[in-house]
Amino acid sequence: MAWVLQSGCLFSAVLFVLMLFIQGYHRVNSEPTQDKQALLAFLSQIPHEKRLQWNESDSVCDWVGVQCDPTNSSVYYVRLPGVGLVGQIPANTLGQLTQLRVLSLRSNRLTGSIPPDFSKLQHLRSLYIQNNQFSGEFPASVTGLTRLIRLDLSSNNFIGPIPFAVNNLTQLKGILLENNGFNGTLPSINPPSLEKFNVSNNRLNGSIPKALSKFPASAFAGNIDLCGGPLPPCNPFFPSPSPAPSAPPKIIPPHKKSKKLSTAAIIGISIGAALALLLLLLVLCLCLRRRQSKRDSTKVQKPPAVSRTAAGAVGEAGTSSSKDDVTGGSAEAERNKLVFFDAGGYSFDLEDLLRASAEVLGKGSVGTSYKAVLEEGTIVVVKRLKDVVASKKEFEQQMEVLGKIKHLNVLPLRAFYYSKDEKLLVFDYMPAGSLSALLHGSRGSGHTPLDWDNRMRIALSAARGLAHLHVSGKVVHGNIKSSNILLRLENRDSCVSDFGLNQLFSSSAPPNHRVMGYRAPEVLETRKVTFKSDVYSFGVLLLELLTGKAPNQASLGEEGIDLPRWVQSVVREEWTAEVFDIELMRYHNVEEEMVQLLQIGMACVASVPDQRPAMQEVVRMIEDMNRGDTDDGLQQSSDDHLKGSDSQTPPQESRSSPLGVTP
Ligand SMILES: *[C@@H]1O[C@H](CO)[C@@H](O)[C@H](O)[C@H]1NC(C)=O
Ligand SMILES: *[C@@H]1O[C@H](CO)[C@@H](O)[C@H](O)[C@H]1NC(C)=O
Ligand SMILES: *[C@@H]1O[C@H](CO)[C@@H](O)[C@H](O)[C@H]1NC(C)=O
Ligand SMILES: *[C@@H]1O[C@H](CO)[C@@H](O)[C@H](O)[C@H]1NC(C)=O
Ligand SMILES: *[C@@H]1O[C@H](CO)[C@@H](O)[C@H](O)[C@H]1NC(C)=O
Ligand SMILES: *[C@@H]1O[C@H](CO)[C@@H](O)[C@H](O)[C@H]1NC(C)=O
């Protein structure tokens, strides 16, 4: 019995080996017939030149351009470059070669789109279809071929967006899309081992994502409006003079700002030379940065390289800088750094800032402000100062002073950037805009008048901010005007911006007409702003708030007026009828308050500086006049902001005199 079992076992074993052999033998002589049918179908349906001849009676693995796997069980490679294929790839032909590893159809005259059944080529490693006339959008079926290593769609007629789904292809080492009609923005394509990348000569615009900025400029050339990364920066903080940072400055085109050709051209030419150098330095800086290990972008880092001594100057801004005397070339790169003051919760660097999309918010007396939207969505205001005369050291010292000022009603300075050619300040973005826009923005339909309570709130909070600057910060604002009073969204409090910058500029510069209306009379002579001249400007601001009229501002286009003189020219009895903003006339029972605030304003614009109250006194007067009100939260004491007040305390008589001032 046992023998029978044993021999049975033996027999089946022999049979098994035999079957294996037969099967193997059979496979050796076979060919992948399904693949063969698919290829025959392909060839029969597509016009082609005569030289491509596949003899049906031969093994498919022997055909020109076809290669099978080692066991001849499926087709692995189809390479048909330049064999004169014409027209569309027929559906359900090549897509059936499910084991295909490489498909090359380059340099034919193929048209139309890639058939959807290409999505079945799940083992495809390389797809070369460059130099054809394929059209339509980026083939959707391709983004599902997750094993793809090389994808070449270049020199076709593809249009539309490059899909973010390309990131599905995690194995990609090369993706070539140049010479097509792809448009829209470039998605962040970031497979870990991407080595070859090219999107040149398409119709892309927008910023180059960080992940792709390691590729050379020629990989992005010839698009509509790509910027950042290896190309010139996107935004106008550093207007891009020419595609090549090192190009000679004289070939600088006026660029996009051709609306204001004359000024733009002059500015462009004058800073062009410096800019080319700066960009070069930036590139250098960024290279260095990348090589250095980690960065902590919210804090200023002390550069690790000891040899770069001058770097300490910027690296230590925020504490003290005393080593600012080395002018070595290698230090230049380190200097070009965004220096942050604490908090703010910001984590971006100069590179991010340069890549941000920017929109001009306004051109002021000290420079142009931009709203910059960073890639990750953070919005900040970047102020690009012009005509700064302060030395680097002076600049940094002043920034240090300004960066320390923290008050609810003072717009905090978050960061600055100093280089020979560019001085940038970074502030929070205040979406609610400025008092100027609120007061003088279009008064047509749809305009919501600024009501009395809000005007009072703005007046008081701006006064508190300014008093804090004077008393705690010991900083003269120097540029009080309604466009520098910004509104906070939450509570309609205001905060003062643009403070303490005067000393960075030359005092011998011709007086700026745009701030003339706010300038105290003595400033026009001495060219020197003081605490008292700030008070004068604030007084004009109060008059503006009450009358709704812009002080002498040529930039507004309409005839400006000298507000203090005009109010004085109207006899007190007529104030209500003549002086106050018509929009305030609808509010009853506020007339007395309006008159009181006007008197405070008139006290501030006294022509003799010593007769003006100190700013903290102005705060107290505004608070006092609201005593009795309960609903507007204006009664919060200002004392906490005024701690440490010393020599700034005004003479006692000025407490009462303002209300007694007559026009
Ligand atoms: C596969 O097919 C090719 C061409 O017909 C032939 O030369 C080769 O020997 C075959 N390989 C195997 C393992 O059968
Ligand atoms: C195909 O091959 C067979 C045998 O190898 C040959 O007889 C026949 O002529 C060939 N056909 C063509 C079209 O070349
Ligand atoms: C990404 O790949 C997965 C398979 O790994 C596939 O299911 C999915 O559809 C692909 N996404 C796109 C957009 O192609
Ligand atoms: C891209 O081009 C197509 C037509 O060519 C157009 O319809 C589409 O709006 C463009 N997209 C972008 C983002 O410009
Ligand atoms: C790109 O161009 C399109 C069409 O011209 C435009 O709508 C879009 O805002 C541009 N995008 C950027 C980032 O410039
Ligand atoms: C990208 O393609 C363009 C056009 O074919 C070519 O001139 C350029 O050298 C390529 N750049 C890279 C980095 O491959």
Side-chain angles (χ1 to χ4, degrees), residues 4-20:
V4 173
L5 265 180
Q6 266 184 353
S7 63
C9 254
L10 192 70
F11 178 72
S12 40
V14 168
L15 200 68
F16 181 70
V17 170
L18 208 73
M19 276 173 65
L20 265 185

Side-chain angles (χ1 to χ4, degrees), residues 42 87-95 103 105-106 110-121 124 127-130 132-143 145 148 151-154 156-158 180 182:
F42 170 70
Q88 297 206 26
I89 299 178
N92 296 315
T93 56
L94 297 182
L103 176 59
L105 300 171
R106 70 182 158 87
L110 295 168
T111 58
S113 50
I114 304 297
D117 61 8
F118 265 43
S119 60
K120 291 195 223 157
L121 304 177
L124 203 63
L127 179 59
Y128 301 104
I129 57 171
Q130 68 268 34
N132 281 286
Q133 289 144 33
F134 285 114
S135 57
E137 300 218 329
F138 191 102
S141 51
V142 168
T143 54
L145 306 181
L148 268 186
L151 176 61
D152 194 338
L153 307 185
S154 62
N156 279 290
N157 300 323
F158 288 113
N180 278 290
F182 289 118

Side-chain angles (χ1 to χ4, degrees), residues 155 176 178-179 196-201 215-220:
S155 302
L176 302 177
E178 68 264 26
N179 304 322
K196 285 189 76 183
F197 177 83
N198 201 332
V199 290
S200 62
N201 303 323
F215 293 102
S218 73
F220 304 98

